[in-house]
Amino acid sequence: MKLLEERIRKDGRVKEGNVLKVDSFLNHQMDMELFEEMAKQWKADFADCPINKILTIEASGIAIAAIVGRVFNAPVLFAKKSRSVNIDGSVYCVEVESFTHKNTSKVIVSKKFIGPEDHVLIVDDFMANGCACASLIQICETAGATVEGVGIAIEKGFQPGGDALRAKGYRVDSLAIVDSMDPETGEIVFRS
Amino acid sequence: MKLLEERIRKDGRVKEGNVLKVDSFLNHQMDMELFEEMAKQWKADFADCPINKILTIEASGIAIAAIVGRVFNAPVLFAKKSRSVNIDGSVYCVEVESFTHKNTSKVIVSKKFIGPEDHVLIVDDFMANGCACASLIQICETAGATVEGVGIAIEKGFQPGGDALRAKGYRVDSLAIVDSMDPETGEIVFRS
């Protein structure tokens, strides 16, 4: 998606350690007009899918998912992260590693909000190793829901998450795929 | 706001310990059509204010703030919660207690995204003791920004947060104020 790539080039900052800072428009301060255009792109790309639920994970995915929910006219469900161990039987709970935070947390969704009647679009701001997304897929499939696809704003194409999910047959629609980035020059190369 | 009160009566559940569960439409699974109506109500109520930024706190406030951002045509900023102590000079950081989680965390906003040019509407899903909201106000005022008002979906009127802020002169616009609720009967009384 040209609009997003241009915005990343304009306002993104490449840092050491494969970090791309986009906190001025994507995941701290957030540009809702951009999110609306992203949501419309996914709406067009998944026009053939009977999507009736949007699933994301706290915190950075929620605002994107909210706008996607408006555009798809579907409820939005966000998985909660917790380190507490007191999980009762009424929730799906999966362990997930975080690339950003270098820790492990539990990803939790109430059983009553996802089931076999759901055709789910999973949405998130970033994909790197794909651990968060894999945990959401696992929850959907345990619940008997259909994962229609995965909508990602920025995929780090040099990390294995996106391509690993595609190899398993999932439809991963990343609006910008960064194939390389250079913290010295600030140069960002997108997959065409 | 009648629409929200009716929804709370229909789908909310009163639990022991002054807990109102609204996770089917407000803060786990989320109804974006409802959020749009809430946002339009705040847009009407704050029509006289030059609001140019929406501020909330992760995680449950983010989806509401996103829809509010669309309706106000303003960027949305969400404060991050962290227990880490490594805070550098580029952020505003305030300690806050959580009523729900019975712990203390740090509330963090990057300095570059808030300043004297900002006229802020603070948005959140719940207000009880008002600690989260007070921390966001403190960040705004430290940054020299103007707090135009506070938009809350559900205020627990029997807890002091909302009225304490009103007594200080802040414009707190809660769309539903619960004056009492009974876990035995499920009855909820709204302030009229």
Side-chain angles (χ1 to χ4, degrees):
Chain A
M1 187 187 182
K2 273 276 162 274
L3 183 71
L4 180 58
E5 291 181 2
E6 283 164 11
R7 188 64 176 273
I8 295 166
R9 275 197 222 279
K10 176 169 161 277
D11 292 329
R13 285 168 304 131
V14 181
K15 301 273 193 179
E16 290 292 342
N18 283 333
V19 172
L20 177 62
K21 290 284 273 186
V22 286
D23 58 353
S24 65
F25 64 95
L26 193 76
N27 52 18
H28 183 25
Q29 181 168 259
M30 303 178 291
D31 180 340
M32 293 300 129
E33 282 185 68
L34 173 66
F35 286 17
E36 180 104 8
E37 295 306 315
M38 289 161 48
K40 286 178 182 167
Q41 182 69 54
W42 285 315
K43 179 73 175 163
D45 294 348
F46 290 102
D48 57 321
C49 299
I51 288 163
N52 63 1
K53 192 155 286 183
I54 311 300
L55 177 64
T56 189
I57 185 165
E58 67 174 65
S60 324
I62 297 176
I64 301 172
I67 303 300
V68 171
R70 277 305 291 145
V71 168
F72 279 78
N73 198 24
V76 175
L77 181 60
F78 74 89
K80 303 192 177 196
K81 287 180 196 165
S82 171
R83 298 201 197 174
S84 91
V85 286
N86 254 336
I87 304 301
D88 70 17
S90 64
V91 298
Y92 297 109
C93 177
V94 173
E95 292 266 348
V96 63
E97 283 180 80
S98 166
F99 170 80
T100 314
H101 302 292
K102 314 249 186 301
N103 63 19
T104 298
S105 55
K106 290 186 165 61
V107 174
I108 296 162
V109 173
S110 284
K111 286 186 177 176
K112 61 186 172 215
F113 300 133
I114 189 158
E117 69 284 4
D118 287 321
H119 292 258
V120 179
L121 177 62
I122 294 170
V123 168
D124 209 356
D125 60 333
F126 264 100
M127 180 173 294
N129 290 311
C131 299
C133 189
S135 72
L136 297 179
I137 290 173
Q138 189 181 333
I139 286 171
C140 288
E141 295 185 343
T142 306
T146 304
V147 177
E148 294 287 347
V150 178
I152 298 292
I154 305 177
E155 177 182 334
K156 291 176 170 174
F158 52 87
Q159 289 187 259
D163 289 333
L165 287 175
R166 288 182 191 99
K168 287 183 185 167
Y170 294 102
R171 193 163 156 182
V172 180
D173 186 4
S174 300
L175 300 182
I177 302 180
V178 176
D179 266 344
S180 68
M181 50 189 194
D182 186 332
E184 300 282 316
T185 64
E187 193 194 13
I188 300 169
V189 177
F190 293 103
R191 190 178 299 181
S192 53
Chain B
M1 187 191 184
K2 273 276 162 271
L3 182 72
L4 180 59
E5 290 181 1
E6 283 164 11
R7 188 62 175 273
I8 295 166
R9 275 198 222 279
K10 178 169 161 274
D11 291 329
R13 286 169 301 132
V14 181
K15 301 274 194 180
E16 290 291 341
N18 282 334
V19 173
L20 177 61
K21 289 283 273 186
V22 286
D23 58 354
S24 65
F25 63 95
L26 194 76
N27 52 17
H28 183 24
Q29 182 169 259
M30 304 178 292
D31 180 340
M32 293 301 129
E33 283 185 66
L34 173 66
F35 287 16
E36 180 104 7
E37 294 307 314
M38 289 161 47
K40 286 177 183 168
Q41 182 68 54
W42 284 317
K43 178 73 176 164
D45 294 347
F46 289 102
D48 56 320
C49 299
I51 288 164
N52 63 0
K53 193 156 287 185
I54 312 300
L55 176 64
T56 188
I57 184 165
E58 65 173 68
S60 322
I62 297 176
I64 300 171
I67 304 299
V68 170
R70 278 303 291 144
V71 167
F72 279 77
N73 197 23
V76 175
L77 180 61
F78 74 90
K80 303 191 179 197
K81 288 180 194 166
S82 171
R83 300 202 198 173
S84 91
V85 286
N86 254 337
I87 304 299
D88 71 17
S90 63
V91 298
Y92 297 110
C93 176
V94 173
E95 292 266 348
V96 63
E97 280 181 81
S98 166
F99 171 79
T100 315
H101 301 293
K102 314 248 185 302
N103 62 21
T104 298
S105 56
K106 291 185 165 62
V107 174
I108 297 162
V109 172
S110 284
K111 286 186 176 175
K112 62 185 171 216
F113 301 133
I114 189 157
E117 68 284 4
D118 287 320
H119 293 258
V120 179
L121 178 62
I122 293 170
V123 168
D124 209 354
D125 60 335
F126 265 99
M127 179 174 294
N129 290 311
C131 299
C133 189
S135 72
L136 297 179
I137 290 173
Q138 190 180 333
I139 286 171
C140 287
E141 295 184 344
T142 306
T146 305
V147 176
E148 295 286 349
V150 178
I152 299 291
I154 305 176
E155 177 181 335
K156 291 176 171 173
F158 51 88
Q159 290 188 257
D163 289 333
L165 287 175
R166 287 181 191 101
K168 287 183 185 166
Y170 294 102
R171 193 164 158 180
V172 180
D173 186 3
S174 301
L175 300 183
I177 303 181
V178 175
D179 266 344
S180 69
M181 51 187 192
D182 187 332
E184 301 281 319
T185 64
E187 194 193 12
I188 301 168
V189 177
F190 293 104
R191 191 177 299 182
S192 53

